[in-house]
């Protein structure tokens, strides 16, 4: 009789441990699932993207030089209303190159984490030089952004990129 009681207690203990383990696995699964649905893009990544994009070499040269400008220099030329030697508008070229760069790094679709973006270059008086708004950022869970500054003719130009999630 005594050995049967001990076996019943051991079976009861094992069943309690199994129930606790199942609950632990369910809670752990929910926690991991929530972390995956959160954003994987942080502001530091966007800031690093902008820094890297500024270093891209463009096909724009100025009539006075034969050197191809980097993207940050092209933004400065846009502010100065200078065109490339080819006659292409520096602001339009900057807009197109940033659009290509952004869309080559992030996927913007209804199924993806990123839903859209806003790219803006403006001067210290908040006058927009370049503006790109792709996809609607309505009903998004959050926005990640970064801001960088470029100097041009004693003026601070602000470059802002917002990724809507």
């Amino acid at each position: 009789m005594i050995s049967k009681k001990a076996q019943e207690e051991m079976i009861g203990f094992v069943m309690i441990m199994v129930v606790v383990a199942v609950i632990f696995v369910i809670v752990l699964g929910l926690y991991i699932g929530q972390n995956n649905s959160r954003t994987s893009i942080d502001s530091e990544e966007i800031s690093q993207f902008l820094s890297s994009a500024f270093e891209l070499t463009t096909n724009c040269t100025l009539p006075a030089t034969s050197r191809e400008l980097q993207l940050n220099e092209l933004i400065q030329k846009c502010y100065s209303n200078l065109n490339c030697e080819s006659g292409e508008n520096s602001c339009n070229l900057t807009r197109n190159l940033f659009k290509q760069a952004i869309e080559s790094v992030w996927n913007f679709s209804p199924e993806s984490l990123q839903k859209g973006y806003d790219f803006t270059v403006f001067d210290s008086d908040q006058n927009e030089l370049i503006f790109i708004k792709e996809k609607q950022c309505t009903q998004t869970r959050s926005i990640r952004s970064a801001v960088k500054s470029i100097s041009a003719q004693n003026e601070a130009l602000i470059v802002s990129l917002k990724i809507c999630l």
Side-chain angles (χ1 to χ4, degrees):
M1 201 75 166
I2 294 175
S3 65
K4 259 189 162 183
K5 190 171 185 177
Q7 289 175 349
E8 289 175 356
E9 286 181 6
M10 286 180 62
I11 290 174
F13 179 74
V14 169
M15 288 179 59
I16 290 172
M17 293 305 293
V18 168
V19 169
V20 168
V22 168
I23 291 172
F24 177 75
V25 169
I26 291 171
V27 169
L28 184 63
L30 292 173
Y31 179 74
I32 290 172
Q34 282 180 338
N35 283 343
N36 286 342
S37 66
R38 291 185 183 171
T39 69
S40 64
I41 298 174
D42 63 6
S43 298
E44 183 63 29
E45 181 181 353
I46 297 171
S47 179
Q48 290 174 357
F49 167 79
L50 287 175
S51 296
S52 298
F54 289 159
E55 302 301 319
L56 290 174
T57 303
T58 68
N59 59 359
C60 177
T61 58
L62 296 178
T65 66
S66 61
R67 184 178 64 85
E68 293 179 327
L69 300 177
Q70 290 182 328
L71 200 46
N72 64 336
E73 296 171 311
L74 193 61
I75 293 170
Q76 295 167 347
K77 300 311 174 197
C78 172
Y79 177 73
S80 303
N81 291 321
L82 296 175
N83 290 333
C84 300
E85 191 172 41
S86 65
E88 190 169 7
N89 181 287
S90 59
C91 294
N92 289 340
L93 182 58
T94 302
R95 183 179 298 109
N96 292 338
L97 290 173
F98 263 108
K99 182 177 169 116
Q100 288 173 358
I102 292 167
E103 292 178 0
S104 70
V105 172
W106 291 288
N107 178 26
F108 300 97
S109 69
E111 298 82 29
S112 70
L113 179 64
Q114 301 81 271
K115 304 302 180 201
Y117 66 93
D118 292 344
F119 175 80
T120 311
V121 177
F122 52 92
D123 62 18
S124 58
D125 296 329
Q126 303 296 318
N127 297 320
E128 287 181 357
L129 299 174
I130 301 169
F131 182 72
I132 307 170
K133 184 176 183 116
E134 286 296 322
K135 315 279 191 248
Q136 291 298 322
C137 290
T138 59
Q139 300 175 353
T140 58
R141 288 181 282 175
S142 63
I143 295 175
R144 299 287 185 245
S145 64
V147 176
K148 292 283 187 178
S149 178
I150 299 175
S151 63
Q153 296 179 357
N154 299 325
E155 177 80 32
L157 301 179
I158 308 300
V159 179
S160 168
L161 176 59
K162 297 177 185 176
I163 305 287
C164 306
L165 307 170

